[in-house]
Amino acid sequence: MAKVTVLMAVYNAERWLERSIGSLLSQTLTDWQLICIDDASTDGSLNLLRRFQQEDQRIELISLSENHGQAHARNCGLKQAQGDYICFLDADDWLSADALQQAVSVFETYDKTDCVLFHVVHVEQGLERNYPMPSFSVLTGEEAFDRSLEWQIHGVYMVRASLHQRFPYDETCRSYSDDNTTRLHYYHSHEVRSCQGIYYYFSNPTSATHRVSVRRFDYLKANESMKRQLQELGVVLPVVARYEQVRWLVLIDCYMFYHVHASELTIDERHYALSELKRIWSTIDRTLLNKETTTKFGYRPCKLWWMFRLQEWCYFTLRGFLGKNR
């Protein structure tokens, strides 16, 4: 048994592992378990992980023969988690030396707390900036869920193992569906608090989210999965309505991505992207949308798909002339 289990999905992260795992080896709280899941890396990551495993018995290694993405990898690790509390650490990120201790102290002080957010510092090109999150003392689960819809609070946290085991990572998509897990953890928490332990989030220019890829449209499928899960859990209609608003805004954002980057996709990818945009557009429950938003040009649902496409083309073409499609 351990106080904290840290899940680390690894894919071709050889360059960053010394820093990431090194930050765990330096923790003031020493009662931790690190489960590294190598997701079929093609660089030297697996050999480096084997070396770390041999040097410290708190480090466990799972080696996957095929690449399935971060959510699947973390779930493989979750099955072996022994800690009272669980958090993730991406292979290119790192923690302040007191991060785990700070989070655990909050849990031990407030026995109704189910999630504790770290203090997130973005690191990009050597520059550090704090995540712009308004300070708070305590939030209910529904309050935390609401704030996560527009990421007024981030999704980097430690959670009670019992809650995480109840809601493992959503494997709907390779990217984006981990947001769903975060929101379910928040919604089902009695209390959500924060701590001063720092999670250093490295903005890696080689990561999938920084590349132009058809995988961007997985965001739509991930959002669809979230809505389905909320409905299956019997969540009250006002909460579903707030999330439907998020789905609508993400649809518009993804259409902008298509408008700007379609020429960088293959013909098959463009067909797929348009089919996903149309499919999700047709599933939006317009009766749940905020009328203040849907009366604006560019955000009107429209009765016919071709009308919606024409609106988006005009809207994003005009934005492009103004240099706003970024």
Side-chain angles (χ1 to χ4, degrees), residues 84-98:
D84 298 324
Y85 313 107
I86 298 173
C87 67
F88 68 82
L89 177 62
D90 285 347
D92 52 2
D93 299 336
W94 67 100
L95 298 169
S96 64
D98 64 345

Side-chain angles (χ1 to χ4, degrees), residues 16 33 45 48 58 76 100 117 149 196 207 237 253 275 291 311:
W16 318 110
Q33 171 196 32
S45 294
L48 188 53
R58 296 172 296 180
C76 290
L100 298 185
L117 279 67
L149 294 181
Q196 292 305 306
S207 69
L237 185 60
D253 182 70
S275 67
K291 292 183 180 179
Q311 172 191 229

Side-chain angles (χ1 to χ4, degrees), residues 20 41 51 57 88 97 100 103 129 137 139 142 172 174 176-177 180 197 199 213 219 225 227 233 279 292 296:
S20 186
S41 294
R51 194 198 84 194
Q57 62 181 4
F88 68 82
L100 298 185
R129 59 182 177 84
S137 174
L139 300 172
E142 188 168 341
T172 303
R174 283 177 171 263
Y176 306 112
S177 57
N180 298 348
Y199 185 106
S213 167
Y219 207 170
S225 172
K227 181 185 177 183
L233 289 166
R279 186 179 68 80
E292 187 175 320
K296 296 178 182 178

Side-chain angles (χ1 to χ4, degrees), residues 74-130:
R74 287 180 181 173
N75 276 339
C76 290
L78 185 61
K79 293 175 182 177
Q80 297 186 18
Q82 298 177 1
D84 298 324
Y85 313 107
I86 298 173
C87 67
F88 68 82
L89 177 62
D90 285 347
D92 52 2
D93 299 336
W94 67 100
L95 298 169
S96 64
D98 64 345
L100 298 185
Q101 184 67 65
Q102 288 268 4
V104 169
S105 293
V106 175
F107 281 114
E108 294 181 341
T109 303
Y110 304 99
D111 58 8
K112 290 186 177 180
T113 295
D114 291 309
C115 289
V116 176
L117 279 67
F118 292 106
H119 176 71
V120 170
V121 174
H122 281 266
V123 182
E124 184 171 10
Q125 296 180 340
L127 300 176
E128 297 183 1
R129 59 182 177 84
N130 295 321

Side-chain angles (χ1 to χ4, degrees), residues 115-257:
C115 289
V116 176
L117 279 67
F118 292 106
H119 176 71
V120 170
V121 174
H122 281 266
V123 182
E124 184 171 10
Q125 296 180 340
L127 300 176
E128 297 183 1
R129 59 182 177 84
N130 295 321
Y131 186 94
M133 184 175 74
S135 62
F136 66 90
S137 174
V138 59
L139 300 172
T140 66
E142 188 168 341
E143 287 171 340
F145 175 86
D146 276 345
R147 293 195 186 191
S148 76
L149 294 181
E150 295 181 357
W151 296 119
Q152 297 171 41
I153 61 173
H154 55 66
V156 183
Y157 59 102
M158 189 180 289
V159 58
R160 288 191 186 274
S162 56
L163 182 56
H164 207 329
Q165 297 290 355
R166 182 182 171 193
F167 297 104
Y169 288 101
D170 185 341
E171 296 186 35
T172 303
C173 307
R174 283 177 171 263
S175 302
Y176 306 112
S177 57
D178 56 342
D179 291 352
N180 298 348
T181 304
T182 296
R183 286 168 171 152
L184 288 175
H185 288 172
Y186 288 167
Y187 185 80
H188 289 280
S189 291
H190 293 92
E191 294 179 351
V192 174
R193 295 179 184 269
S194 62
C195 72
Q196 292 305 306
I198 302 173
Y199 185 106
Y200 290 95
Y201 178 89
F202 178 61
S203 186
N204 189 343
T206 65
S207 69
T209 55
H210 285 80
R211 296 194 301 268
V212 173
S213 167
V214 72
R215 295 273 66 85
R216 176 66 172 266
F217 301 95
D218 285 352
Y219 207 170
L220 300 170
K221 192 178 294 183
N223 285 174
E224 185 179 34
S225 172
M226 179 82 253
K227 181 185 177 183
R228 181 173 61 251
Q229 291 178 73
L230 290 174
Q231 291 173 323
E232 289 172 353
L233 289 166
V235 171
V236 294
L237 185 60
V239 173
V240 176
R242 291 196 291 274
Y243 192 71
E244 194 72 342
Q245 180 73 8
V246 170
R247 286 217 306 147
W248 179 244
L249 295 177
V250 168
L251 174 67
I252 301 297
D253 182 70
C254 286
Y255 204 105
M256 181 181 76
F257 182 87

